[in-house]
Amino acid sequence: EHIVLFIDQFEEVVTMAAEADRRAFLAALVGAADDVSSPVRVIVSVRQDFLDRVAGESAELAALVSRGTFLLGPLGRRELRMALVHPAESLEHRFESEQLVDEILAALSSPIAALPLLQFAAHRLWEARDTERRMLTAQAYRSFGGVAGALSRHASSVLGCMMPTERDLARLILLRLVTPDRTRAVVPYQALCALSEGPEVERVIALLIDARLVSIDEVGSAESTVELVHDSLIYTWP
């Protein structure tokens, strides 16, 4: 048997983890990846702008990173088209026209947020699909503002429905969910609740979760953590 251990968003080991946790995690990781005869293979994905900081955490990790780095650029138009069209085709659905696909792809102007924006817009498009014709339509696409404004417009509309005090709390919460390095921060639910006294902050967190702007794991647990649902919120929502 062979095992592949895949660790996504590895930059969070230097942007969020406490020092003791980081040292223990990296030691375990190096131990898992230091023997080429082992049945374990380790793959990590890390943002390009954090590569130096990750490699600088330890000499052993730097040696592993330098030996096995694969630079992966942004998806090109062909790959983005595959990411958009193939999942629908696998469920026997089709786009209303090639022009609609081209319009969606043309709207992905930022390579940083292209894939998360495409993911969010495609999800909205799927929710509004024509089930009788098994089709994703231009009318549905226009109904939520297209790719460019899908997530940011949704976020703005959510805050627009809040009371002023709720919006103030939402701003505190959302800023707390971004690191100084402009990445998502995973924050304990209880730490967010401590931003303000009273039950209103919990209600605002619930509103943000229901609106799919933030996500929570282990709902109801004392160890629950909260994070932004997409990195693209950091870049595309003024």
Side-chain angles (χ1 to χ4, degrees):
E1 297 292 335
H2 287 76
I3 298 171
V4 174
L5 175 63
F6 176 61
I7 305 169
D8 196 13
Q9 294 179 286
F10 190 63
E11 65 274 3
E12 292 181 355
V13 78
V14 296
T15 63
M16 290 177 7
E19 184 177 355
D21 293 337
R22 179 166 62 248
R23 286 201 305 265
F25 181 75
L26 292 177
L29 187 65
V30 170
D34 65 349
D35 184 358
V36 295
S37 64
S38 167
V40 178
R41 294 292 180 266
V42 179
I43 300 173
V44 302
S45 73
V46 59
R47 273 175 43 176
Q48 175 183 317
D49 48 336
F50 283 91
L51 194 57
D52 287 345
R53 287 178 61 182
V54 168
E57 284 297 312
S58 73
E60 295 87 355
L61 184 63
L64 290 172
V65 169
S66 62
R67 189 172 74 217
T69 299
F70 180 83
L71 297 179
L72 181 64
L75 295 185
R77 190 176 178 97
R78 176 176 175 273
E79 290 79 17
L80 288 171
R81 178 181 290 271
M82 292 171 60
L84 176 62
V85 173
H86 284 194
E89 290 179 343
S90 69
L91 293 174
E92 300 181 350
H93 281 65
R94 62 186 177 87
F95 282 79
E96 187 173 23
S97 66
E98 282 297 312
Q99 289 77 14
L100 174 58
V101 175
D102 290 339
E103 181 180 349
I104 295 172
L105 296 178
L108 302 173
S109 57
S110 170
I112 294 176
L115 195 56
L117 280 174
L118 180 64
Q119 178 186 8
F120 184 84
H123 182 73
R124 294 290 303 274
L125 192 58
W126 177 259
E127 288 180 328
R129 68 191 183 279
D130 185 328
T131 55
E132 290 186 2
R133 294 188 293 165
R134 303 179 73 84
M135 182 180 294
L136 291 86
T137 67
Q139 180 182 357
Y141 180 65
R142 310 248 190 292
S143 70
F144 60 80
V147 170
L151 186 54
S152 61
R153 290 177 186 174
H154 170 64
S156 294
S157 68
V158 171
L159 263 69
C161 294
M162 292 182 178
M163 301 294 290
T165 55
E166 292 175 332
R167 280 197 295 273
D168 291 341
L169 284 174
R171 179 177 174 83
L172 285 176
I173 293 164
L174 292 165
L175 289 175
R176 183 70 175 82
L177 295 175
V178 181
T179 72
D181 297 301
R182 292 176 64 80
T183 62
R184 283 187 293 177
V186 179
V187 179
Y189 176 79
Q190 295 301 331
L192 293 178
C193 291
L195 291 173
S196 177
E197 296 181 358
E200 191 172 27
V201 66
E202 295 184 42
R203 184 169 66 253
V204 173
I205 295 171
L207 288 172
L208 295 174
I209 293 170
D210 290 343
R212 294 192 3 253
L213 294 180
V214 305
S215 61
I216 185 171
D217 68 344
E218 300 184 37
V219 178
S221 167
E223 304 300 321
S224 295
T225 57
V226 180
E227 63 180 314
L228 292 175
V229 73
H230 279 304
D231 288 317
S232 58
L233 273 172
I234 301 170
Y235 299 98
T236 63
W237 186 29

